[in-house]
Every structure is written in C-alpha cells, then in structure tokens.
Amino acid sequence: MTNRIPIASPVRTAAIVNRYFVHAKKNLGQNFLVDLDAVQGIVRAAGIEPGDQVVEVGPGIGSLTEQLLLAGGKVRLMKSTIACRKSWPTNCRKRWTAKTWTSASS
C-alpha cells in the first residue's frame, strides 16, 4: 500500500479534499465518512466476504470503497463525479488492479 492512513480519517480526507478541490453538496445531504470505526462497521454489517460482488452508489472519495476492497469485495462504483474520480488514482487505483473495481459512469 502506498498510504497507510485510511481514507476514512479526518487527516486523509482533508488532504484529498484540498488536493482535488472536492466538496460535499450539503443541500443533497452529502458528507465525507471520516470515522474509520463507522465505515468498518458498515462493511461488517453488510457481511462482505472475499469475492462478493458489491455495488456502491455515490462512492465519493473512496472511504467506504477502500474498506469494501480490503474486505475482499469486488466493487462496482455507480454515479461517480468527475471530481471524485480524479482522486481515485491516489486513493484506490494504486492499491488494486483495474479489474477489481469499475465505474459505471466512466
């Protein structure tokens, strides 16, 4: 792994937001997941196991995506924005092969 700090941390999220000028649209109820325990709890509650096919709608900067992939899920991303896709090369693309995840809006 190129960066050991999870995306779902305040420091890493702030770095990504500042580097790629990504902003949550509060009028749409968007937020960034910055609590690693909460994100890992979501993955555990979903019961994701290695090889499971997962569809993630609105992946944002990849906080949940990263943990789904670490759990072994094969993730398909839906409704990604151009701004968020710009951050993926440093977040998820360098960690997993292109075959591991796809973007429906690419």
Side-chain angles (χ1 to χ4, degrees):
M1 268 187 228
T2 58
N3 194 331
R4 297 192 190 281
I5 300 171
I7 297 170
S9 71
V11 171
R12 182 93 184 276
T13 294
I16 293 167
V17 166
N18 291 332
R19 180 174 180 178
Y20 297 101
F21 306 104
V22 179
H23 295 58
K25 295 179 182 175
K26 298 294 183 179
N27 62 327
L28 298 177
Q30 295 176 337
N31 292 280
F32 293 114
L33 294 169
V34 295
D35 183 334
L36 183 59
D37 290 333
V39 176
Q40 290 174 333
I42 292 167
V43 174
R44 277 193 304 276
I48 304 301
E49 295 180 2
D52 283 353
Q53 299 289 322
V54 180
V55 175
E56 184 183 1
V57 178
I61 62 172
S63 301
L64 181 58
T65 309
E66 176 182 57
Q67 296 304 311
L68 290 168
L69 291 167
L70 286 170
K74 296 194 180 290
V75 182
R76 176 173 289 268
L77 306 175
M78 307 293 285
K79 293 197 173 207
S80 61
T81 64
I82 291 171
C84 289
R85 278 188 299 207
K86 287 179 182 176
S87 74
W88 291 342
T90 57
N91 296 335
C92 295
R93 284 187 182 169
K94 286 185 179 177
R95 296 182 188 190
W96 298 278
T97 66
K99 292 179 183 175
T100 304
W101 63 273
T102 60
S103 172
S105 60
S106 296

